[in-house]
Amino acid sequence: MSTSTPDPADPVFRLHAGGKMAVASTVPLTSREDLSLAYTPGVARVCEAIAADPDLADDYTWVSHTVAVVTDGSAVLGLGNIGPRAALPVMEGKAVLFKQFAGVDAVPVCLDTQDVDEIVATVRALAPSFGGINLEDISAPRCFEVERRLDEALSIPVFHDDQHGTAIVVLAALRNAATLLNRKLGDLRVAVSGAGAAGVAVTKMLIAGGVNPDQVVVCDSKGIIGRHRELTGTKAELAETTNADGRQGDVTEALRGADVLVGVSGGQIPEQAVAGMAPGGIVFALANPTPEVHPEVAARHVAVVATGRSDYPNQINNVLAFPGVFRGALDARATRITDGMKVAAADAIAGVVAETLTAEAIVPSPLDPRVAPAVAEAVAEAARRDGVARR
């Protein structure tokens, strides 16, 4: 029997039966007075107040604690372009994580279109119902344009978690790994394997967090990205801002003498390439379920290893980031999410385990209850500092 064939005895299908979430009322409806307050005629007074001052929606509707989790089903987990209906269990799962870890209500919105213009128009039309937009599992390079256009059009936070959630946790992990090894971020040579949504965001986040762009080399499926190649879009930007040495070749060349490997490609990297890294290196092999380098293989050659898996130490999991990021942004009533807010989130995640660092614990557990509140506080403070907070 296929692992994807429904089986009532299978605990996975049993848990998902009927879906993983529901809507619950926050007010009593047990009397005629309750009904008159929650609905007509009382609700009309609230409507009139919001019509006169739209900002009052933050105080008198759910938008202050609710986000939309939006996908087109084009890049779901490691399953690829499986469409919006098949993506819904993942979006429900994301919504449950929002609620569990940060008390944020989230609504899955699975769109039956993969056209950028239609996605942007639809989300813009839905935006008044939400306090933030979490973009999820939209394939590159369309995801970059979707996020950019929505960020420009809307006055609420827009956050593509596949990019920035992963990038925030990578920066947090690298900060702590560098501290553990008595290194400075600005001195590290970093190779990023993968130039999709996560790879581009990780590269930008590491640079924003203190890594020297001249010391960064990014690879895609065709090899090292640099000015020697004809590129467009985000890859052309990477070619202008990284690879100052003008390296050419494959990932083995990118790793020669590197201190750090961040794998976000899904492609396999040979052991001899890892062996060519500088002594005392760091490997984050984040492809899931099969890391670019098996962690036990990487451990033969480097000092710190992290993966995206829960069955090895140092899981780089974006659940460490997105609940607290949105909680903080909503608490500050931020109009957008800035680079400063993302870096603040990374610092907060790193700080949770800063006093107890070991090579097997450079990031907190995804279940650590300290993480989301710390991230939320840091993000809200950064929003105010960056001038995007409305409270």
Side-chain angles (χ1 to χ4, degrees):
M1 179 180 292
S2 168
T3 56
S4 60
T5 301
D7 176 2
D10 185 324
V12 171
F13 285 95
R14 192 163 63 244
L15 181 142
H16 282 79
K20 298 191 291 288
M21 56 185 297
V23 174
S25 173
T26 62
V27 298
L29 287 175
T30 58
S31 67
R32 290 173 61 89
E33 182 181 11
D34 291 341
L35 191 61
S36 69
L37 292 172
Y39 199 52
T40 186
V43 72
R45 293 171 54 195
V46 181
C47 294
E48 289 173 336
I50 294 172
D53 180 2
D55 285 345
L56 289 176
D58 290 326
D59 296 313
Y60 296 108
T61 75
W62 75 347
V63 299
S64 64
H65 57 85
T66 306
V67 302
V69 182
V70 178
T71 189
D72 65 356
S74 60
V76 181
L77 299 178
L79 303 174
N81 189 355
I82 61 174
R85 190 175 295 273
L88 185 53
V90 179
M91 302 310 116
E92 286 187 358
K94 198 64 174 280
V96 171
L97 295 174
F98 266 116
K99 187 67 172 180
Q100 176 68 28
F101 292 112
V104 172
D105 292 299
V107 178
V109 179
C110 298
L111 303 179
D112 192 14
T113 178
Q114 295 183 356
D115 179 83
V116 169
D117 290 338
E118 290 185 354
I119 293 171
V120 170
T122 302
V123 175
R124 287 185 64 179
L126 290 170
S129 293
F130 301 100
I133 305 295
N134 183 93
L135 300 173
E136 187 77 17
D137 291 349
I138 300 173
S139 63
R142 293 177 308 111
C143 61
F144 302 121
E145 185 177 359
V146 169
E147 183 186 43
R148 178 186 61 79
R149 288 172 58 179
L150 287 173
D151 199 40
E152 291 174 353
L154 301 178
S155 59
I156 57 176
V158 178
F159 185 83
H160 185 207
D161 186 49
D162 301 303
Q163 294 183 63
H164 310 301
T166 299
I168 286 167
V169 184
V170 167
L171 176 58
L174 189 58
R175 281 206 189 289
N176 278 346
T179 298
L180 185 68
L181 300 176
N182 197 27
R183 306 287 297 276
K184 295 181 179 179
L185 288 187
D187 296 334
L188 298 175
R189 293 184 62 89
V190 178
V192 179
S193 177
V200 171
V202 164
T203 301
K204 291 181 177 180
M205 181 59 58
L206 293 182
I207 292 170
V211 171
N212 184 345
D214 292 344
Q215 298 276 66
V216 177
V217 177
V218 183
C219 296
D220 63 8
S221 60
K222 296 181 180 179
I224 294 174
I225 289 175
R227 297 182 181 180
H228 60 285
R229 292 175 52 185
E230 292 186 8
L231 300 163
T232 59
T234 55
K235 291 185 181 181
E237 294 175 15
L238 290 176
E240 292 296 321
T241 55
T242 63
N243 191 18
D245 293 344
R247 291 197 184 197
Q248 301 182 31
D250 61 10
V251 69
T252 299
E253 174 61 22
L255 284 174
R256 183 172 54 83
D259 301 296
V260 180
L261 162 64
V262 180
V264 282
S265 66
Q268 294 299 291
I269 296 175
E271 181 174 358
Q272 60 266 32
V274 179
M277 295 176 64
I282 300 164
V283 166
F284 296 166
L286 305 184
N288 211 351
T290 305
E292 290 85 355
V293 184
H294 193 283
E296 293 175 9
V297 172
R300 298 171 189 162
H301 305 283
V302 300
V304 178
V305 180
T307 72
R309 293 174 51 142
S310 59
D311 53 348
Y312 287 95
N314 297 325
Q315 184 186 18
I316 306 295
N317 190 323
N318 57 7
V319 75
L320 290 167
F322 70 80
V325 167
F326 269 99
R327 178 76 274 166
L330 291 170
D331 288 348
R333 296 186 182 171
T335 56
R336 57 189 296 264
I337 294 176
T338 65
D339 284 346
M341 293 161 72
K342 298 170 195 172
V343 171
D347 290 345
I349 293 167
V352 169
V353 292
E355 301 301 320
T356 57
L357 286 180
T358 69
E360 289 73 38
I362 58 170
V363 288
S365 161
L367 299 174
D368 192 321
R370 299 173 294 172
V371 175
V375 172
E377 182 178 355
V379 166
E381 182 179 341
R384 299 181 184 104
R385 187 168 59 244
D386 289 349
V388 297
R390 293 184 291 117
R391 64 177 292 180

